[in-house]
Amino acid sequence: MLKIGDIQMKNQVVLAPMAGVCNSAFRLTVKEFGAGLVCAEMVSDKAILFNNAKTMDMLYIDEREKPLSLQIFGGEKDTLVEAAKYVDKNTTADIIDINMGCPVPKITKCDAGAKWLLDPNKIYEMVSAVVDAVDKPVTVKMRMGWDEEHIYAIQNAQAVERAGGQAVALHGRTRVQMYEGHANWDIIKQVKQSVSIPVIGNGDVQTPQDAKRMLDETGVDGVMIGRAALGNPWVIYQTVKYLESGELIEEPSVREKIDVCVLHLDRLIDLKNENVAVREMRKHAAWYLKGIRGNATVRNQINECDTRNQLVGLLNGFVEEVEAKMQGNAQVV
Ligand SMILES: Cc1cc2nc3c(=O)[nH]c(=O)nc-3n(C[C@H](O)[C@H](O)[C@H](O)COP(=O)(O)O)c2cc1C
């Protein structure tokens, strides 16, 4: 089982942090599908210290989501430490995670995110400063390296451990790869073998079977799922069940998918205002609809809608259309 510091997870399945996605509305929904640990979207250290209103809202946690890991990013020790102290004292997050994987230039040019992967000494220095300043367990999420010529995953994970970090989540890609190619699970296995803190494996887990294969092949303590959960919190439930019993749970019906999409929408409206929530929900709705035949028209219409009523009307109309087609097909048979 996955245990980080004193925090015992009920299983090994972890929702990955995803910017613009993993707010409380989505996390709670995924949590209800059984995730052992949910991770919040990354938050800028400086924005916390500037008391930026939007950022402060991002720190909102619903107690039902816990255990929860809250991720911060930054390039300078002082601000990172101060932001970590703020999260430590003013939120009910269980774990403080430091981002060392974000590949986007806006972040890396500030010496944050994946930039640290080039320098195990900096990792040691930053992580130990944060660990010394807070009570909550500190973890790090990293990529395996900057590029193929600079893969210091083992040294970097060891630096985290020496600095007092309580776990490492490793995405088996380099910064340069962004999201291309395949995640390298072999390096995840090597990292697991070279530290004694828990290691969470991440990258390209799309199905329950992938999750089991990652656990079996690499020996990691937990398995982190990101993109496969977009519009598909069921993958978490399916994975938890599969790891528990080997049972493969069926795909949800279109009605079930849309009902959960609307639940997610309503939570987002509670969290933000209707206008912001509906706009943000457009991309989620497209993800919920992914793979359902004949969704092109409704997806285009969703991109134009601004209110809850419009969005829910379109979604329900689509479900009725799909159900009518299915009935028609059944009658033909
Ligand atoms: C939309 C999106 C946003 C992301 N935001 C973050 C983030 O805020 N912090 C982070 O550490 N990783 C972030 N990631 C990376 C994921 O946590 C994960 O490492 C990556 O998607 C690989 O896992 P997967 O193959 O299961 O998707 C993000 C990924 C996506 C697709």
Side-chain angles (χ1 to χ4, degrees), residues 16-21 40-42 71 97 99 101-102 141 143 171 173 179 202-205 224-228 230 287:
M18 286 184 281
V21 173
E41 55 192 329
M42 64 179 190
Q71 188 183 67
D97 187 52
N99 180 308
C102 186
K141 176 158 177 287
R143 286 184 175 239
H171 177 192
R173 281 192 176 80
Y179 291 93
N202 171 237
D204 299 345
V205 173
M224 180 180 269
I225 301 181
R227 288 165 296 173
L230 296 173
W287 286 324

Side-chain angles (χ1 to χ4, degrees), residues 164-218:
Q166 304 264 18
V168 172
L170 183 64
H171 177 192
R173 281 192 176 80
T174 61
R175 184 265 169 183
V176 166
Q177 271 181 296
M178 303 294 273
Y179 291 93
E180 302 294 321
H182 293 289
N184 178 338
W185 290 7
D186 195 45
I187 198 93
I188 296 177
K189 178 179 179 178
Q190 290 173 36
V191 166
K192 169 62 195 165
Q193 288 170 350
S194 56
V195 292
S196 27
I197 51 175
V199 175
I200 299 170
N202 171 237
D204 299 345
V205 173
Q206 280 159 7
T207 62
Q209 294 94 322
D210 288 343
K212 173 142 178 44
R213 202 161 51 79
M214 177 178 276
L215 288 166
D216 290 347
E217 285 179 13
T218 67

Side-chain angles (χ1 to χ4, degrees), residues 3-25:
K3 190 174 182 193
I4 297 176
D6 288 336
I7 319 288
Q8 176 70 60
M9 276 28 99
K10 64 178 181 189
N11 60 52
Q12 295 172 291
V13 183
V14 180
L15 172 69
M18 286 184 281
V21 173
C22 290
N23 49 40
S24 170

Side-chain angles (χ1 to χ4, degrees), residues 297-314:
T297 309
V298 73
R299 280 171 64 167
N300 285 336
Q301 290 166 330
I302 285 170
N303 276 333
E304 305 285 311
C305 73
D306 296 309
T307 66
R308 178 191 188 273
N309 277 352
Q310 285 173 337
L311 180 50
V312 173
L314 285 170

Side-chain angles (χ1 to χ4, degrees), residues 99-103 107-108 112-118 143 145-146 175:
N99 180 308
M100 283 185 218
C102 186
I107 307 291
T108 54
K115 196 63 195 282
W116 298 18
L117 300 174
L118 289 165
R143 286 184 175 239
W146 181 260
R175 184 265 169 183

